[in-house]
């Protein structure tokens, strides 16, 4: 009977420790000034090299037209959200798990939530985590 319990508990705790990373974003909104640029911070913890991971930035309910889609070591032009065309880039530091994006020429309609999703595929096993960053847009006075 004891043996049975051991077989049950050991694999369970092994699975829990297997989570390769979690996505970390600020809990407070990020502020951007109309017409200027802003960084939407997102990174993974623990610090891992994310160069071979997939990174997807999208607005809620608009996952099919991401504002930025990084896969197979490059930024994919398709699919993409036309509202953000030419205004979004990775800031670099992917090798240190930093998947933040820079958003340029901020518009009023950019205000709102952004989901940062990082996905790892390893020998057919997929793992992903995501978190939401909130952007506030202030006008110039
Ligand atoms: C990611 O890079 C940005 C811009 O260089 C920086 O502000 C931010 O602190 C970095 N995040 C982490 C977790 O290192």
């Amino acid at each position: 009977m004891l043996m049975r319990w051991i077989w049950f508990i050991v694999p369970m705790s092994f699975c829990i420790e297997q989570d390769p990373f979690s996505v970390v974003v600020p809990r407070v909104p990020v502020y951007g000034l109309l017409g200027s640029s802003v960084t939407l911070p997102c990174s993974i913890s623990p610090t891992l090299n994310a160069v071979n991971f997939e990174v997807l930035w999208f607005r809620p309910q608009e996952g099919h037209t991401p504002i930025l889609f990084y896969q197979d070591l490059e930024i994919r032009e398709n699919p993409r959200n036309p509202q953000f065309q030419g205004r979004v880039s990775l800031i670099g530091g992917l090798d240190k798990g930093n998947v933040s994006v820079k958003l340029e020429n901020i518009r009023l309609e950019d205000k709102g939530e952004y989901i940062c999703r990082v996905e790892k595929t390893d020998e057919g096993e997929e793992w992903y985590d995501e978190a939401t960053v909130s952007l506030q847009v202030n006008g110039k006075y």
Side-chain angles (χ1 to χ4, degrees):
M1 202 56 188
L2 181 63
M3 271 308 269
R4 262 196 205 170
W5 278 108
I6 290 171
W7 283 116
F8 183 67
I9 291 164
V10 171
M12 282 253 304
S13 51
F14 181 70
C15 282
I16 290 163
E17 282 165 21
Q18 274 295 85
D19 289 2
F21 60 82
S22 56
V23 166
V24 181
V25 297
R27 293 178 180 203
V28 295
V30 174
Y31 285 84
L33 199 61
L34 206 60
S36 69
S37 60
V38 71
T39 296
L40 302 177
C42 182
S43 56
I44 56 176
S45 172
T47 303
L48 292 173
N49 186 341
V51 165
N52 290 304
F53 295 178
E54 206 173 287
V55 179
L56 197 61
W57 275 92
F58 60 99
R59 308 202 72 178
Q61 280 88 49
E62 293 182 6
H64 53 292
T65 52
I67 71 163
L68 186 134
F69 179 33
Y70 171 92
Q71 185 193 43
D72 296 333
L73 307 177
E74 63 186 20
I75 292 178
R76 301 277 163 172
E77 293 301 318
N78 219 339
R80 72 176 161 202
N81 187 323
Q83 182 187 333
F84 297 92
Q85 191 174 336
R87 296 196 296 130
V88 182
S89 53
L90 286 169
I91 56 146
L94 235 59
D95 56 329
K96 296 183 191 69
N98 195 329
V99 297
S100 308
V101 290
K102 184 180 176 188
L103 175 59
E104 291 172 75
N105 195 12
I106 300 169
R107 305 172 184 171
L108 265 184
E109 64 262 34
D110 295 343
K111 179 179 187 290
E113 297 189 324
Y114 293 81
I115 298 169
C116 171
R117 178 184 164 120
V118 181
E119 189 167 319
K120 176 192 180 190
T121 308
D122 195 9
E123 293 170 1
E125 301 251 343
E126 273 183 31
W127 168 261
Y128 82 89
D129 192 24
E130 61 184 32
T132 303
V133 182
S134 179
L135 174 67
Q136 293 289 336
V137 177
N138 291 342
K140 284 175 180 154
Y141 297 106

